[in-house]
Amino acid sequence: MEIAVLGGGNGSTAAAVDLTAQGHNIRFWRRNASAQAELRARGNVITLKDFEGARPIRISIVTDDIGEAIRGADLIVCPTPATAQSDIAAAMAPHLADGQVVFLPPGSFGSWIMADIVRKAGNHADVSWAETGTLPYLTRLHGADTVAITTRATRLPTGVYPLRNAEHAHSILARAYPAVEPAGDALSGALMNAGPIIHPPLITMNAGPIEHFDHWDIHNEGTQPAIRRVTTRLDAERMAVREALGYGAPHFPLADHYETSDWMYGNLAHDKLVDSGDWREHLVLTEHRYMREDVAVGLALLVSVADWAGVPAPTATGLLALGSAICDDDFRQSGRTLENLGLADMNRAALQTMLRDGA
């Protein structure tokens, strides 16, 4: 397929390289013109390191022109942080066309947000927006010219907006990511996002060592039994919200990530993640994406949806308050919530209709 990959971070680079290796024609966009010029100077080549070893992969098109990347693409893969979604949606708006599928792995309800921005910009093309529960890869950049993929997802539960386009969206997604499986509408997909469950306990409960040590492996020393117990409580609240909204199993309980091979990455992915050593890094507590994306965006969304649905979520609410205090902010007011999205006054029937048919 013709596939546009947007962004220049770990997930975006992994997607550009991995999808090229699968035989797709990739248009790799990022807004950083100098970084793209450096990549073109290297012949568009990035080294892929995975279980097969290290090998050079040449990406077809490397550009800082988002129109060049998007025009004519069947699939647009956007594994960027949720905090970048609004700006990227505005940049995409003039170029999207009927039939295209935009994939956010993961999304934190970014599928609806980006679609709304594009529509308000005057583009009413029939685009399908999809979001899943995690990146398709456990991955890290090793410098500017190498990306390491520790493992690939084996199951990617994915919601689609509008839901009426689900069959078309999944037919396109399956050609690039066979691990994708239907998970209903966009809000269901958002409530599959594992980041706001794994990461808020790690970033808030490890605040002391993160500020003390120059480097800290948040997934190794940082994942202690006490933190795991909090994660289990938090995940139970997420699943209770899903049940209350009528989203049935499977809910992909996070315990499977740590204890079985039946989660999104399979094969005891947490052990692989720790063994790789790629997550021993310098962390800036108040700026890290686990805080700014997974607490201020993903967790704020979960708390607001729980409140709207009338589901008690004391663990989520407490962690959101703790993250807010650490950052000297109030993420319940400033974060991604149904109130801030203008959706809190909708009743369930109206929200379901909107998610099914589009605005």
Side-chain angles (χ1 to χ4, degrees):
M1 285 192 298
E2 294 291 326
I3 301 177
V5 176
L6 310 183
N10 299 300
S12 299
T13 306
V17 171
D18 190 59
L19 292 169
T20 297
Q22 290 182 36
H24 300 290
N25 194 56
I26 303 304
R27 302 98 166 274
F28 186 30
W29 171 87
R30 67 189 298 188
R31 68 177 77 245
N32 187 330
S34 62
Q36 296 300 73
E38 290 174 9
L39 178 51
R40 286 194 295 270
R42 300 197 304 270
N44 294 3
V45 173
I46 296 175
T47 298
L48 169 61
K49 292 172 61 177
D50 61 8
F51 69 95
E52 294 182 5
R55 56 203 185 278
I57 303 293
R58 184 185 179 279
I59 299 167
S60 178
I61 296 173
V62 173
T63 182
D64 60 321
D65 179 348
I66 198 166
E68 181 184 14
I70 288 175
R71 285 189 295 269
D74 304 295
L75 175 64
I76 300 161
V77 181
C78 186
T80 59
T83 50
Q85 289 167 348
S86 295
D87 287 344
I88 291 175
M92 294 169 70
H95 310 292
L96 291 167
D98 288 348
Q100 290 183 307
V101 177
V102 182
F103 185 40
L104 310 178
S108 291
F109 209 42
S111 51
W112 180 85
I113 292 165
M114 295 180 78
D116 188 57
I117 290 169
V118 169
R119 182 173 54 251
K120 288 175 178 175
N123 186 336
H124 297 280
D126 190 13
V127 176
S128 303
W129 304 79
E131 61 180 270
T132 190
T134 189
L135 278 172
Y137 321 93
L138 286 178
T139 184
R140 272 293 186 269
L141 285 165
H142 290 182
D145 61 353
T146 301
V147 64
I149 295 178
T150 303
T151 193
R152 292 168 174 82
T154 56
R155 302 182 70 187
L156 288 170
T158 299
V160 175
Y161 177 78
L163 185 59
R164 60 176 170 79
N165 286 354
E167 183 176 356
H168 168 69
H170 282 289
S171 70
I172 297 294
L173 289 166
R175 295 168 60 189
Y177 292 107
V180 162
E181 55 188 81
D185 62 35
L187 185 55
S188 175
L191 293 172
M192 287 292 191
N193 191 352
I197 308 303
I198 298 177
H199 298 145
L202 292 179
I203 198 73
T204 58
M205 297 176 72
N206 281 286
I210 287 170
E211 289 196 324
H212 178 73
F213 294 107
D214 289 335
H215 290 76
W216 183 253
D217 191 330
I218 204 166
H219 292 287
N220 190 354
E221 294 91 346
T223 305
Q224 295 299 324
I227 292 174
R228 282 279 291 108
R229 291 193 293 273
V230 172
T231 304
T232 298
R233 290 283 187 96
L234 178 59
D235 200 34
E237 293 171 5
R238 174 190 69 89
M239 291 187 283
V241 171
R242 285 183 52 80
E243 287 284 350
L245 295 178
Y247 301 129
H251 300 303
F252 289 80
L254 196 58
D256 290 345
H257 169 63
Y258 294 98
E259 299 167 5
T260 77
S261 59
D262 194 39
W263 198 66
M264 298 181 201
Y265 291 122
N267 298 321
L268 293 172
H270 180 71
D271 293 344
K272 290 184 178 181
L273 183 152
V274 170
D275 291 344
S276 73
D278 284 339
W279 278 259
R280 184 170 298 283
E281 55 191 347
H282 176 68
L283 304 175
V284 179
L285 179 62
T286 59
E287 299 175 8
H288 196 272
R289 68 181 184 85
Y290 288 3
M291 183 69 77
R292 291 297 168 180
E293 179 173 13
D294 294 315
V295 178
V297 174
L299 191 63
L301 178 68
L302 176 60
V303 169
S304 75
V305 174
D307 287 350
W308 178 79
V311 177
T315 309
T317 302
L319 287 167
L320 186 66
L322 188 57
S324 297
I326 289 170
C327 294
D328 194 23
D329 200 341
D330 182 355
F331 294 147
R332 193 64 178 84
Q333 297 298 317
S334 64
R336 181 174 292 183
T337 64
L338 292 182
E339 292 83 0
N340 289 340
L341 297 177
L343 300 176
D345 291 334
M346 297 183 76
N347 61 35
R348 292 194 191 187
L351 183 64
Q352 288 171 345
T353 298
M354 183 268 288
L355 291 173
R356 181 187 68 232
D357 299 333

